[in-house]
Amino acid sequence: MIKMFRLIILYAFLFLNIICYSQFKTSDNQNTKDKFINDLLLKMTLEEKIGQLNLPVTGDVVSGIKQNSGVVKKIMSGQVGGIFNLKGIQQIRALQEVAIEKSRLKIPLLVGMDVIHGYETGFPIPLGLSATWDLELIKSTAEMAAAEASADGINWTFSPMVDISRDPRWGRVAEGSGEDPYLGSEIAKAMVLGYQGDLSQPNQILSCVKHFALYGASEAGRDYNTVDMSKQRMYNEYLPPYKAAIDAGAGSIMAAFNDIDAVPATGNKWLLTDLLRNQWNFKGFVVSDYTGIPEMVNHGVGDLELSGALALNAGVDMDMVGEVFLNYCQKLLADKKITEDQINIACKRILSAKYDLGLFQNPYKYCDTNRAKKEIFTKEHRNFSKQVAKQSFVLLKNKNKVLPLKKSQTVAIIGPLANNAVNMPGTWSVAVKHDKSISVAQGMAEYLGNNANIVYAHGCNLVETAEEEKRYTPFGKTFTRDERDQHDMWEEATQIASTADVIIFAGGESAEMSGEASSRSQLSIPKIQLETLKKLKTLGKPIVLVLFTGRPLVLDWEYENLDAIINVWFPGTEAGLAIAEVLYGDYNPSGKLTMTFPKNEGQIPIYYAHKNTGRPLSGPWFQKFQSNYLDVDNNPLFPFGFGLSYTNFEYSNLKLSAPTLSLKDTLIATVTIENNGHHDGYEIVQLYTHDITRSLTPPIKELKGFLKIFLKKGQSKTIEFKIVEPMLRFYDNDLNYISESGDFELMIGTNSNKVLKTNFKLQH
Ligand code: NOJ
């Protein structure tokens, strides 16, 4: 007994020692870092400190290196803290050499880029990635993107974008993870960990969460537009993903373009200091968005000089492109509108990020010119991209099991996106190899090999006129326009399709119909494509729509009239192969929507976690004096969490371990899921709760958990979720994060509209 006691004491002593040592080591490291940065700061002139806050555009940099122009001169004179969106290790290394060999204090550069969904190997657009509901997978895409980007000189990515949005008119929904704060937060965390992981490693990079904050709530879905929302909604629905990313250790954050409470985010002290620093304890640095500081002049809050002061006073540390800090800080200091201390603090934060990246120890840590050839766009990465793409597809309709296709069938591939590679990676794919991407037609042919039984016709262009098309095809993501008369194209398409057993129509949006500055007021697929589908429909053959889109679309006619719809978003570089493998059933679709698809634009904003109102509608159709529309039912076309499979999953036996949950308890919810169809497959099981009565009107349901499970055909599994009190909390109007005693509904199901329900009580 005594021996045992001694042993316990000994272990406790050792354990304490280890803890103390590691804490001592961390604080030791922190001291070394602080000393290094403070010493450096002492050596810096005011101009050099201001220079660190400058993130200029590097458009002319290639010629600049040679001509000693623009950016290069600025780097030499210590006027640049970082550069961005410059691609190519040689050029980046050359600029880093300028900073290290030709600037007085040899301070290395941050090298940023919009590595949003892959580097050269393109992954599905973020909205597509989110449809996998697979956090490990998403984290791995960020890891791989970081590995490729870092091999090419990049040490900082402007990702993840975590803006919650419930308005598909806003084109930037393509860059985010949809409408739900819980799922959005989990994905935000996964991505930050994927990019940053262990920053001491040369294959991990600094992440920049964006756009802080509430950018996804731009009025009317119009990009860059104003935002106005209650604090209650802000804290409960829009802020959680930013907070999750910061808690996961994101090293930087980007101020949004919009205003909040009539103050531009870039000059919003409440946002960037009170909330971000004081409440959330953020330790990294804040960068403005592209010309965000000078844009405050347009917002109407002051001139350039005042905008600079507002931004620095609010908490912006780095000025992207605006050069307002560079040009005005000295004057602002002389006029006592800002203090040198503020410049010191901002400068220290940027130096600190460079220190954490290991750039002071080795400024060429990300400039190993041997890595790029070996580590970028590798076979392994491309294969992984294909696996991810397959998991992002969402099967929206599959009448008479027209999918999966049989190899014996003759397939007609038709549509503007059938034979186009450069649009496959989608929006914001700055570094992606567009021309090496795989089109649908190419993927199908490669997949089927010698057995290929494919016929092809263009059918129609993306949109009717070349003039209109220009708007949708910037950045080289063009289409080869077919100049033939439309009737000739239809004739050819119907003639070719009539020889086939099944028609695959590859259509929808072009890559640049969503993304930044791509808001749309009408969300149908372009009219000419719809007309083409109508012509094909007259043939009476099964039609499968392979839908490319960066946002929820209005698909009422398509849903009524086509046999199958598979939403492939923009799948990345391996698009065509991934699509072929799913169409032929090598992979059974498992993706689920993370944004609600409306029936028409008038329903927007439409989202699953809405309030009940005092006059809820009890059926799908119009009732006088209830909250609904006269001319369309209140339901969405496809609800949040929706996605079909080639097989069928049956839910039963929802049970709770107890009827009541106390503050310290854990409630176990169990449910049985059976794969009673004819294919093996993944199912994403979703858990929702509903606070039946509380002091602030609750949403009708809120996602609280999910699990991706694999079931062989015929197999069934009982799975469990743990419910604890913190999952039931919300922010009240004094912004206390609380839960209230009372009755809750618990729901588990295959999508937000199809759930099994039970009840429990929360007892404080
Ligand atoms: C503007 C966009 O809003 C932002 O997301 C992006 O990171 C920057 N431009 C830099 O390209």
Side-chain angles (χ1 to χ4, degrees):
M1 187 68 187
I2 291 177
K3 235 177 167 181
M4 179 86 147
F5 184 68
R6 274 197 195 137
L7 219 61
I8 290 173
I9 297 281
L10 183 68
Y11 277 123
F13 178 73
L14 282 175
F15 182 66
L16 273 176
N17 259 330
I18 290 170
I19 296 233
C20 289
Y21 176 72
S22 63
Q23 267 173 6
F24 173 73
K25 255 205 110 175
T26 324
S27 69
D28 202 29
N29 287 345
Q30 185 63 40
N31 290 343
T32 318
K33 173 177 158 182
D34 289 348
K35 182 169 177 344
F36 177 85
I37 290 173
N38 287 332
D39 287 352
L40 180 56
L41 209 70
L42 286 175
K43 290 184 207 142
M44 294 172 83
T45 62
L46 178 63
E47 289 80 357
E48 283 164 335
K49 290 177 198 170
I50 295 170
Q52 284 303 305
L53 319 190
N54 190 30
L55 181 66
V57 71
T58 46
D60 68 341
V61 90
V62 188
S63 50
I65 292 171
K66 290 188 203 120
Q67 293 166 11
N68 210 14
S69 75
V71 171
V72 176
K73 272 193 192 158
K74 282 189 182 142
I75 297 174
M76 284 163 74
S77 55
Q79 290 185 315
V80 176
I83 53 162
F84 73 102
N85 284 0
L86 174 68
K87 184 165 188 293
I89 184 70
Q90 306 293 353
Q91 301 181 66
I92 290 172
R93 192 178 168 105
L95 285 189
Q96 199 65 283
E97 278 168 4
V98 176
I100 299 307
E101 288 164 24
K102 305 219 166 102
S103 77
R104 192 179 76 90
L105 288 172
K106 308 181 188 323
I107 299 176
L109 297 167
L110 284 175
V111 182
M113 186 182 270
D114 287 283
V115 184
I116 308 289
H117 48 112
Y119 187 68
E120 284 194 12
T121 308
F123 297 113
I125 54 166
L127 189 59
L129 278 179
S130 72
T132 66
W133 296 58
D134 193 324
L135 301 174
E136 270 310 307
L137 199 75
I138 294 171
K139 181 172 167 226
S140 301
T141 64
E143 242 159 32
M144 205 171 269
E148 287 199 3
S150 62
D152 215 13
I154 307 297
N155 54 40
W156 181 29
T157 175
F158 303 137
S159 175
M161 176 186 117
V162 303
D163 307 326
I164 294 297
S165 184
R166 289 154 175 199
D167 195 331
R169 289 172 299 182
W170 192 52
R172 302 200 80 170
V173 299
E175 295 177 58
S177 297
E179 71 185 44
D180 186 66
Y182 173 75
L183 180 61
S185 300
E186 293 295 302
I187 293 177
K189 192 163 76 183
M191 292 197 74
V192 170
L193 294 176
Y195 289 129
Q196 291 194 175
D198 175 2
L199 277 187
S200 70
Q201 299 303 311
N203 55 358
Q204 303 247 255
I205 60 180
L206 195 73
S207 97
C208 181
V209 191
K210 67 191 191 186
H211 306 86
F212 195 56
L214 321 182
Y215 187 27
S218 303
E219 242 175 48
R222 214 184 67 224
D223 211 359
Y224 316 123
N225 204 1
T226 198
V227 170
D228 197 2
M229 97 171 43
S230 69
K231 283 273 181 330
Q232 208 267 128
R233 168 162 266 179
M234 205 185 274
Y235 273 74
N236 283 307
E237 299 167 22
Y238 282 78
L239 291 179
Y242 306 105
K243 170 87 164 51
I246 286 161
D247 290 346
S252 64
I253 192 163
M254 190 184 292
F257 283 129
N258 54 278
D259 60 343
I260 296 169
D261 287 338
V263 182
T266 312
N268 196 316
K269 190 157 189 284
W270 168 79
L271 183 76
L272 301 182
T273 298
D274 299 353
L275 178 68
L276 183 65
R277 301 256 174 222
N278 301 342
Q279 288 181 41
W280 291 359
N281 204 19
F282 176 62
K283 297 281 183 240
F285 72 92
V286 177
V287 62
S288 78
D289 201 344
Y290 203 106
T291 58
I293 299 179
E295 282 173 29
M296 282 201 277
V297 178
N298 286 340
H299 274 286
V301 294
D303 58 10
L304 271 185
E305 199 179 309
L306 184 60
S307 299
L310 279 173
L312 195 75
N313 284 323
V316 173
D317 303 303
M318 193 173 222
D319 173 0
M320 188 193 289
V321 183
E323 303 225 324
V324 177
F325 283 172
L326 192 72
N327 295 327
Y328 291 93
C329 271
Q330 301 227 32
K331 173 152 193 313
L332 287 168
L333 202 57
D335 294 347
K336 300 201 175 358
K337 301 259 172 55
I338 58 171
T339 63
E340 184 153 5
D341 208 34
Q342 285 174 313
I343 294 174
N344 287 343
I345 289 172
C347 182
K348 271 188 188 181
R349 287 178 184 146
I350 289 154
L351 296 176
S352 167
K354 294 181 178 183
Y355 188 97
D356 292 342
L357 278 166
L359 293 176
F360 286 111
Q361 272 168 308
N362 176 10
Y364 301 111
K365 179 179 162 201
Y366 295 93
C367 291
D368 174 351
T369 46
N370 293 318
R371 279 184 63 197
K373 267 183 250 111
K374 287 182 283 178
E375 296 178 30
I376 301 180
F377 204 57
T378 61
K379 230 172 146 188
E380 182 206 340
H381 289 190
R382 296 182 66 176
N383 185 46
F384 181 64
S385 165
K386 185 177 76 178
Q387 307 308 334
V388 178
K390 289 189 286 189
Q391 299 189 52
S392 73
F393 300 166
V394 185
L395 183 64
L396 297 174
K397 181 176 180 187
N398 194 17
K399 195 173 98 191
N400 299 331
K401 299 198 172 13
V402 54
L403 291 177
L405 301 174
K406 292 170 205 68
K407 289 191 181 150
S408 56
Q409 289 170 312
T410 304
V411 178
I413 308 179
I414 294 173
L417 280 131
N419 204 4
N420 184 296
V422 291
N423 275 266
M424 293 299 103
T427 190
W428 263 136
S429 41
V430 178
V432 170
K433 282 212 180 295
H434 294 94
D435 53 344
K436 294 247 168 68
S437 299
I438 299 176
S439 73
V440 181
Q442 187 192 342
M444 293 277 281
E446 213 168 290
Y447 174 81
L448 293 169
N450 293 336
N451 303 324
N453 224 345
I454 303 172
V455 287
Y456 166 79
H458 197 179
C460 62
N461 291 306
L462 175 76
V463 286
E464 209 161 347
T465 66
E467 197 46 39
E468 195 189 348
E469 195 170 284
K470 270 193 220 144
R471 265 186 271 156
Y472 306 133
T473 54
F475 311 126
K477 290 175 201 147
T478 51
F479 287 79
T480 312
R481 224 182 136 72
D482 196 327
E483 298 298 352
R484 282 178 297 164
D485 181 84
Q486 182 57 59
H487 288 94
D488 294 344
M489 282 196 258
W490 279 335
E491 188 151 331
E492 179 197 60
T494 46
Q495 196 269 321
I496 278 180
S498 66
T499 66
D501 300 310
V502 57
I503 302 166
I504 303 288
F505 186 87
E509 295 191 317
S510 68
E512 295 303 329
M513 280 173 93
S514 57
E516 187 173 347
S518 295
S519 295
R520 293 179 67 196
S521 66
Q522 289 178 355
L523 301 181
S524 316
I525 68 171
K527 201 160 139 248
I528 196 68
Q529 297 189 38
L530 205 57
E531 283 173 30
T532 308
L533 279 166
K534 287 179 181 168
K535 295 271 180 237
L536 294 170
K537 171 86 182 158
T538 60
L539 299 173
K541 308 255 175 192
I543 305 179
V544 177
L545 171 61
V546 174
L547 179 69
F548 291 84
T549 180
R551 53 153 62 84
L553 291 177
V554 168
L555 299 167
D556 46 347
W557 185 89
E558 294 85 334
Y559 186 62
E560 278 295 307
N561 292 285
L562 302 180
D563 300 86
I565 306 175
I566 182 152
N567 182 0
V568 297
W569 312 106
F570 288 95
T573 24
E574 307 311 297
L577 282 173
I579 290 167
E581 290 183 18
V582 172
L583 290 181
Y584 284 93
D586 288 3
Y587 184 83
N588 181 358
S590 60
K592 304 260 191 175
L593 300 177
T594 57
M595 261 189 104
T596 306
F597 274 46
K599 286 218 165 88
N600 66 22
E601 294 83 356
Q603 288 181 318
I604 298 168
I606 182 168
Y607 49 93
Y608 85 93
H610 62 81
K611 302 289 179 80
N612 205 33
T613 79
R615 294 189 174 196
L617 183 69
S618 55
W621 259 105
F622 173 73
Q623 287 166 11
K624 195 73 180 165
F625 303 123
Q626 297 305 112
S627 177
N628 61 179
Y629 297 102
L630 273 171
D631 54 353
V632 63
D633 73 51
N634 256 18
N635 291 329
L637 184 60
F638 303 115
F640 174 84
F642 179 82
L644 301 171
S645 162
Y646 294 155
T647 192
N648 187 55
F649 297 105
E650 198 64 42
Y651 285 62
S652 64
N653 249 336
L654 173 60
K655 283 196 200 123
L656 281 178
S657 57
T660 306
L661 171 68
S662 76
L663 289 179
K664 285 189 198 117
D665 273 353
T666 300
L667 213 57
I668 310 284
T670 51
V671 68
T672 304
I673 297 132
E674 184 191 357
N675 177 351
N676 61 8
H678 300 290
H679 299 261
D680 303 343
Y682 285 96
E683 164 71 338
I684 296 158
V685 185
Q686 300 158 41
L687 167 80
Y688 299 88
T689 60
H690 171 211
D691 198 342
I692 296 173
T693 315
R694 72 179 197 195
S695 53
L696 297 186
T697 56
I700 62 153
K701 54 179 75 107
E702 293 172 274
L703 184 75
K704 297 291 175 175
F706 56 89
L707 203 61
K708 190 168 180 176
I709 58 168
F710 182 78
L711 289 179
K712 288 194 155 305
K713 58 182 174 208
Q715 194 188 355
S716 85
K717 220 181 228 173
T718 298
I719 59 159
E720 62 173 53
F721 287 101
K722 292 191 167 80
I723 325 290
V724 287
E725 180 271 336
M727 290 162 73
L728 307 173
R729 292 187 192 169
F730 63 100
Y731 287 93
D732 67 12
N733 278 340
D734 297 320
L735 304 179
N736 300 312
Y737 196 46
I738 58 160
S739 66
E740 291 174 356
S741 291
D743 291 328
F744 283 79
E745 226 172 357
L746 181 137
M747 293 156 269
I748 299 184
T750 185
N751 67 58
S752 63
N753 248 6
K754 197 170 170 202
V755 287
L756 300 176
K757 294 182 181 178
T758 184
N759 282 54
F760 70 93
K761 224 182 235 319
L762 174 66
Q763 193 90 60
H764 273 197

